[in-house]
């Protein structure tokens, strides 16, 4: 069966010889992944406050402090520190995909997994779309360089092989490859008795794409006044699920309950959380082909706060317009149920924007006219960091 040799836990593209590579924090720690979670004490919800279209949370009257990603076992700062140390050994890192020079082009590669979202797949029995998540996490990374994905390989590890289940998962991988117009080239299936819990499995994968050197999107020409265009997400995508699961454990809801605040028809919390990651490849490559795109950020672990600045030259930052897009109900529920403050939400989750393109003002007008589903979410400014205005 197809399954890859990519390592999902630490997103790493290393520099060997002439390889231009990158390494970034993926925050792909899996606390409690191979063990049943211990019984957890339910804590009182924080008080929900509404400020226009924005939700913020304060602590409850008994002084309980809202949840953080670190509380759930994932330390973003530790991942950043590891990258800083690796940078001393491997200069030139920091992009979303590793670049390997090949003639007048670059091969662009990225590797990832789907994290503890797999735990929810086991609980909900939704296995048909988790493969789309797997492909999306890598191909969305390499398209930030303007690269067209060429091929994908996957890794499927399990204690005892359930052929029907594995086939369902891999059908999702095939679907993801079709959506990104790349080939599932092969991979690896590993059957390891007693290593995984019964009925569970692990996934990782990697993608390779190609871009002409003179067409590389690298952010070097970004300047103050350029516009940030946001591409909507389908929900949580495949990051932050350790915190999602912690919130779920202390809430009064189960995965089969209706999602609070959802304005459409019946929609369970499990369905909302398992919505597959959007694959942006075809739309982004089409926009790039028309010119004016200077930089692209994939909003994964680290959210807005850590990912957007990675595409800017030194001395530049971004002002994000708070109410410029619709925040999906699942994030509003997470913030209320977990008492999570605004800063933690923005650093952990995509908040409804899965990818951000930095474009010229002229290109922004064209893109907004051609695509109804994108938003003008901010502007590049002098001074580093991301501010919400």
């Amino acid at each position: 069966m197809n399954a890859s040799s990519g390592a999902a836990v630490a997103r790493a593209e290393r520099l060997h010889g002439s390889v231009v590579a990158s390494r970034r924090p993926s925050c792909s720690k899996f606390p409690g992944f191979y063990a049943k979670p211990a019984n957890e004490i339910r804590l009182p919800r924080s008080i929900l406050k509404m400020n226009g279209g924005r939700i913020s949370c304060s602590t409850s009257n008994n002084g309980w402090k809202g949840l953080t990603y670190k509380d759930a076992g994932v330390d973003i700062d530790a991942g950043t520190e590891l990258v800083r140390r690796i940078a001393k050994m491997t200069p030139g890192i920091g992009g979303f995909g590793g670049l390997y020079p090949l003639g007048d082009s670059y091969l662009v590669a990225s590797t990832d997994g789907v994290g503890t979202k797999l735990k929810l797949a086991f609980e909900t029995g939704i296995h048909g779309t988790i493969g789309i998540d797997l492909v999306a996490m890598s191909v969305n990374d390499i398209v930030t360089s303007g690269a067209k994905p060429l091929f994908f390989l996957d890794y499927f590890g399990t204690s005892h092989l359930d052929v029907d289940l594995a086939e369902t998962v891999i059908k999702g991988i095939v679907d993801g490859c079709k959506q990104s117009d790349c080939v599932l080239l092969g991979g690896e299936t590993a059957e390891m008795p007693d290593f995984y819990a019964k009925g569970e499995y692990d996934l990782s994968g990697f993608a390779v794409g190609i871009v002409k050197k003179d067409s590389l999107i690298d952010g070097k020409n970004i300047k103050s006044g350029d516009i940030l265009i946001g591409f909507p997400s389908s929900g949580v995508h495949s990051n932050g699920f350790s915190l999602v699961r912690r919130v779920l454990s202390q809430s009064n809801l189960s995965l089969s309950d209706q999602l609070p605040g959802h304005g459409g028809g019946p929609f369970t919390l499990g369905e909302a959380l398992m919505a597959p990651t959007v694959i942006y490849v075809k739309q982004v490559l089409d926009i790039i082909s028309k010119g004016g795109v200077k930089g692209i950020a994939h909003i994964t672990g680290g959210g807005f706060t850590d990912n957007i600045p990675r595409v800017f030259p030194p001395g530049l930052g971004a002002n994000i317009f708070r109410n410029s897009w619709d925040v999906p109900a699942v994030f509003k529920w997470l913030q209320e149920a977990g008492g999570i403050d605004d800063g933690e939400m923005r650093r952990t989750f995509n908040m409804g924007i899965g990818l951000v393109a930095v474009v010229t003002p002229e290109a922004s007008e064209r893109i907004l006219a051609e695509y109804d589903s994108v938003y003008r979410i901010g502007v590049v400014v002098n001074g580093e960091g991301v501010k919400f205005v």
Side-chain angles (χ1 to χ4, degrees), residues 360-373:
T360 65
E362 296 78 17
S364 74
E365 296 298 327
R366 183 188 70 246
I367 294 167
L368 291 168
E370 291 182 3
Y371 294 93
D372 294 332
S373 60

Side-chain angles (χ1 to χ4, degrees), residues 60-369:
S60 60
N61 292 334
N62 65 2
W64 172 59
K65 184 179 179 182
L67 289 174
T68 67
Y69 207 8
K70 192 171 184 178
D71 293 336
V74 179
D75 188 345
I76 296 175
D77 291 327
T80 301
E81 172 62 16
L82 176 60
V83 172
R84 186 190 68 79
R85 296 186 187 187
I86 293 170
K88 294 180 179 180
M89 300 178 280
T90 311
I93 67 173
F96 289 91
L99 308 180
Y100 184 89
L102 183 69
D104 63 352
S105 300
Y106 286 114
L107 294 180
V108 186
S110 181
T111 183
D112 211 337
V114 293
T116 55
K117 188 172 185 176
L118 285 173
K119 278 289 190 183
L120 297 190
F122 306 149
E123 293 177 30
T124 61
I126 300 174
H127 300 282
T129 56
I130 200 75
I132 298 175
D133 291 293
L134 183 66
V135 176
M137 294 304 291
S138 287
V139 297
N140 286 343
D141 268 359
I142 66 177
V143 80
T144 64
S145 300
K148 180 191 180 303
L150 295 174
F151 58 84
F152 185 85
L153 288 94
D154 68 271
Y155 169 91
F156 181 97
T158 188
S159 179
H160 296 284
L161 184 61
D162 180 331
V163 175
D164 292 336
L165 175 61
E167 181 184 24
T168 298
V169 173
I170 293 170
K171 281 182 178 178
I173 297 174
V174 171
D175 189 4
C177 289
K178 288 179 179 178
Q179 290 185 35
S180 53
D181 197 23
C182 71
V183 176
L184 179 58
L185 199 60
E188 175 67 16
T189 297
E191 191 171 14
M192 295 179 283
D194 303 322
F195 191 79
Y196 299 98
K198 183 179 180 180
E200 297 189 356
Y201 57 87
D202 195 11
L203 289 175
S204 61
F206 73 91
V208 175
I210 192 167
V211 61
K212 294 289 186 182
K213 288 181 178 178
D214 58 7
S215 298
L216 180 70
I217 305 294
D218 58 13
K220 290 181 179 179
N221 296 323
I222 293 174
K223 63 182 182 181
S224 179
D226 285 335
I227 304 300
L228 274 62
I229 299 294
F231 295 75
S233 70
S234 59
V236 185
H237 281 184
S238 300
N239 290 97
F241 274 87
S242 294
L243 182 52
V244 168
R245 291 169 55 241
R246 181 62 64 90
V247 171
L248 187 63
S249 73
Q250 72 170 47
S251 75
N252 297 319
L253 298 181
S254 71
L255 291 169
S256 60
D257 287 324
Q258 297 299 298
L259 171 65
H262 180 64
F267 195 58
T268 68
L269 190 55
E271 289 170 333
L273 293 173
M274 288 303 296
T277 305
V278 176
I279 292 178
Y280 298 101
V281 171
K282 292 181 180 179
Q283 184 179 20
V284 169
L285 289 179
D286 179 60
I287 289 173
I288 289 173
S289 70
K290 297 173 184 177
V293 179
K294 295 184 175 183
I296 304 173
H298 185 197
I299 309 303
T300 56
F304 278 67
T305 308
D306 290 3
N307 284 296
I308 293 176
R310 290 167 54 192
V311 304
F312 292 155
L316 294 179
N319 282 349
I320 303 296
F321 309 138
R322 279 195 178 104
N323 298 315
S324 56
W325 73 92
D326 297 323
V327 176
V330 66
F331 295 111
K332 297 176 182 180
W333 171 78
L334 283 166
Q335 184 166 24
E336 178 186 2
I340 306 170
D341 68 31
D342 291 337
E344 190 71 15
M345 290 293 294
R346 294 165 184 159
R347 198 185 184 200
T348 305
F349 301 114
N350 66 61
M351 300 304 294
I353 298 294
L355 188 127
V356 174
V358 184
V359 305
T360 65
E362 296 78 17
S364 74
E365 296 298 327
R366 183 188 70 246
I367 294 167
L368 291 168

